[in-house]
Amino acid sequence: MLLIPCPWCGPRDEAEFGYGGQAHVPYPEDPTALTDEEWARYLFFRNNPKGPHPERWCHAAGCRRWFNAVRNTATNEILAVYRVGEPRPVIV
Amino acid sequence: MAEHIARHSPLGGFAARFAAATRGSGGAVRLAELPYPAQINVRLDPKGPAADAVRLALGIALPVEPNTAVRGGGLAALWLGPDEWLVVGPAGTAGDLESRLRGAVGAYHAAVTDVSAQRSTLLVSGPRSRDLLSHGIALDLHPRSFGAGRCAQTMLARAQVILTARDERGPGFWVLVRSSFAGYLAQWLLDASSEYTAPGYAAQGCSASQ
Ligand SMILES: [Zn+2]
């Protein structure tokens, strides 16, 4: 079980959170101009790193806010959490 | 045509069992329903003019520190999110409270919604109330981390609840639970309190001190 630090509520049990996939995937500026392949890449293609990965999480059973977390996919260590609109912290 | 529609609390049928558990524990845990409190959900920008207007109308400020509650004048304002609060007042005052809040925010960008029917409210108090809730809650309920003025939305026995510590002396909590989960949670609390209500428990003096 992970202990995830909500940027509003502090450390909470993983069961209180929903997972929202990779963070910082921008909506296409002009969706109608995309080819089928570009649209498919936007919808379905995600990074799959072994190591730090910026992700969206929602504190579903708590404050119900979405936020971003950088999680090490190999160790499950949460390296940083930050609120929506805040820049992605530099992980060294 | 119905002439009279009786109102039933989802926990109305539990009064006798709550009283029996309270008696059986010798007061170590006290379970009761607080029927029909007024509950108004308020959403606004805490830095905007609507927040000041609400503070003036209620006589209490909406807390900006996460997971805290502010009480005063028979009302409680519970932090639910950075732009969301639950204002709780005495039973029967929902209409009045909603009008006061609506009048206060006026044309400012805000939302005021009567959600009184959404949740039922349980009172869990007594010297063993922390131990009882800790059977099903992951938060540290020790007074140094969850004393008076704290509130939290979390899971109690896998049911989503709003938990807030009372201001009164001695341990005690309000547990606000969605009405459709209230019966389940009442059953769970009665079951979890069985170790404090077992025959002889109160006689052993286990309920003393703490
Ligand atoms: Zn939260």
Side-chain angles (χ1 to χ4, degrees), chain A residues 8 12 16 61-62 64-65, chain B residues 43 66 83-84 153-154 160:
Chain A
W8 298 101
R12 295 293 188 93
E16 296 188 4
R64 300 190 294 125
R65 263 63 202 177
Chain B
R43 299 201 65 169
D83 59 4
E84 185 173 10
Q153 297 163 95
T154 188
Q160 202 267 346

Side-chain angles (χ1 to χ4, degrees), chain A residues 64-83:
Chain A
R64 300 190 294 125
R65 263 63 202 177
W66 284 94
F67 61 93
N68 296 318
V70 179
R71 179 179 62 98
N72 184 321
T73 57
T75 63
N76 262 339
E77 191 184 355
I78 308 278
L79 302 166
V81 292
Y82 47 109
R83 295 172 182 175

Side-chain angles (χ1 to χ4, degrees), chain A:
Chain A
M1 187 69 79
L2 302 183
L3 200 58
I4 299 177
C6 169
W8 298 101
C9 304
R12 295 293 188 93
D13 198 296
E14 174 191 354
E16 296 188 4
F17 295 87
Y19 181 65
Q22 181 180 325
H24 311 303
V25 179
Y27 191 75
E29 296 255 337
D30 184 3
T32 56
L34 261 53
T35 65
D36 284 355
E37 191 193 331
E38 286 168 332
W39 187 247
R41 283 198 170 273
Y42 162 69
L43 284 181
F44 304 118
F45 282 59
R46 295 294 181 264
N47 297 331
N48 187 22
K50 182 179 182 184
H53 186 227
E55 301 171 331
R56 302 168 72 231
W57 286 81
C58 178
H59 191 190
C63 63
R64 300 190 294 125
R65 263 63 202 177
W66 284 94
F67 61 93
N68 296 318
V70 179
R71 179 179 62 98
N72 184 321
T73 57
T75 63
N76 262 339
E77 191 184 355
I78 308 278
L79 302 166
V81 292
Y82 47 109
R83 295 172 182 175
V84 168
E86 292 178 348
R88 177 185 170 176
V90 179
I91 307 289
V92 279

Side-chain angles (χ1 to χ4, degrees), chain B residues 137-163:
Chain B
I137 221 160
L139 293 180
D140 179 7
L141 297 181
H142 191 278
R144 79 179 151 237
S145 60
F146 205 90
R150 304 301 301 184
C151 84
Q153 297 163 95
T154 188
M155 308 285 267
L156 172 56
R158 297 173 298 286
Q160 202 267 346
V161 296
I162 304 173
L163 181 75

Side-chain angles (χ1 to χ4, degrees), chain B residues 9-28:
Chain B
S9 159
L11 296 173
F14 284 91
R17 295 177 66 190
F18 286 160
T22 301
R23 268 197 315 278
S25 74

